[in-house]
Amino acid sequence: DAGITQSPRHKVTETGTPVTLRCHQTENHRYMYWYRQDPGHGLRLIHYSYGVKDTDKGEVSDGYSVSRSKTEDFLLTLESATSSQTSVYFCAISEREATGELFFGEGSRLTVL
Amino acid sequence: AQRVTQPEKLLSVFKGAPVELKCNYSYSGSPELFWYVQYSRQRLQLLLRHISRESIKGFTADLNKGETSFHLKKPFAQEEDSAMYYCALSGTGRRALTFGSGTRLQVQP
């Protein structure tokens, strides 16, 4: 497995609280992505990064923000969690742009009560 | 806009039967198509991509631009093929893959 870890792996929180998920890679890949996985929707892109401090929105970015201050870390923040953000979140990395192979983390299961 | 459609949520077959997981896409340019697989308790991983035209674990997929399809096929299913399969598309100039909703393949003994 590629050197990519997500933390926390499981989290239960209450509506309105802030949540930060961390993705850490040891591969020195330039591109990093956050997807959410939901039944019937598959994987949907939240945000992605194409370099340190360079990020862009995906198709379901509302309610989420990201930061990438170092090559190895890509943080996903829910400023005020809602029940609709209950999901499994996957981080992925890639050496090249979207035409390259994505390597995925193990996922972070978030439950918002 | 680009879109990937996987019409079947669940496909159940018996061991040894042929398998075809359907994938249709919508994209005006020249796409690159991929199949990713997620086995139980494992990470999502790349199974194959159309540009390499290779067969992985007995699976093949041919890009049909006329029908805008990229169906995944295997002539004889094995129990270890049971997994979640995602079709994904990359379009020119886009930096991230667009995934379909996934199809769960169950191969029964």
Side-chain angles (χ1 to χ4, degrees):
Chain A
D1 288 332
I4 174 170
T5 55
Q6 294 183 226
S7 61
R9 295 287 317 284
H10 301 273
K11 186 173 181 66
V12 179
T13 191
E14 294 187 351
T15 297
T17 60
V19 176
T20 295
L21 305 180
R22 180 185 185 228
C23 178
H24 179 77
Q25 61 145 328
T26 58
E27 304 295 322
N28 201 35
H29 284 353
R30 177 179 176 185
Y31 301 93
M32 299 186 75
Y33 310 84
W34 278 108
Y35 285 89
R36 59 178 288 175
Q37 182 186 47
D38 303 288
H41 293 279
L43 289 160
R44 292 180 293 173
L45 182 68
I46 305 171
H47 282 279
Y48 61 96
S49 171
Y50 45 97
V52 173
K53 298 192 189 310
D54 290 324
T55 64
D56 206 348
K57 296 179 179 180
E59 61 179 301
V60 290
S61 60
D62 287 348
Y64 302 94
S65 63
V66 290
S67 66
R68 191 169 177 200
S69 59
K70 299 184 290 185
T71 298
E72 58 265 35
D73 289 326
F74 192 32
L75 303 181
L76 177 70
T77 297
L78 291 66
E79 300 290 348
S80 178
T82 67
S83 59
S84 65
Q85 294 175 311
T86 293
S87 186
V88 180
Y89 292 86
F90 285 96
C91 177
I93 63 175
S94 176
E95 191 171 18
R96 297 187 295 128
E97 281 190 297
T99 55
E101 179 178 357
L102 292 185
F103 296 96
F104 282 85
E106 294 178 286
S108 295
R109 183 175 295 276
L110 175 67
T111 301
V112 183
L113 302 176
Chain B
Q2 59 189 53
R3 186 179 181 88
V4 177
T5 302
Q6 294 180 249
E8 303 140 328
K9 288 185 178 180
L10 173 66
L11 182 63
S12 183
V13 301
F14 287 103
K15 176 183 175 181
V19 170
E20 182 179 67
L21 300 171
K22 291 183 168 51
C23 172
N24 290 91
Y25 68 89
S26 172
Y27 183 67
S28 58
S30 183
E32 290 194 48
L33 276 298
F34 306 81
W35 277 100
Y36 278 78
V37 60
Q38 187 175 27
Y39 300 104
S40 179
R41 296 188 177 83
Q42 293 188 29
R43 302 182 187 216
L44 200 65
Q45 58 187 288
L46 177 67
L47 180 62
L48 56 81
R49 66 186 84 188
H50 89 272
I51 57 173
S52 61
R53 300 186 65 81
E54 57 191 343
S55 172
I56 304 294
K57 298 185 178 182
F59 284 98
T60 59
D62 291 318
L63 178 62
N64 186 323
K65 292 187 177 181
E67 297 183 356
T68 59
S69 67
F70 188 57
H71 302 329
L72 184 67
K73 300 177 183 179
K74 185 170 183 177
F76 308 103
Q78 303 299 314
E79 289 183 68
E80 55 265 31
D81 296 328
S82 295
M84 193 73 176
Y85 291 80
Y86 291 97
C87 183
L89 176 153
S90 171
T92 305
R94 296 191 66 88
R95 289 193 159 122
L97 294 182
T98 298
F99 285 84
S101 55
T103 298
R104 180 166 298 281
L105 174 64
Q106 286 182 350
V107 181
Q108 300 181 51

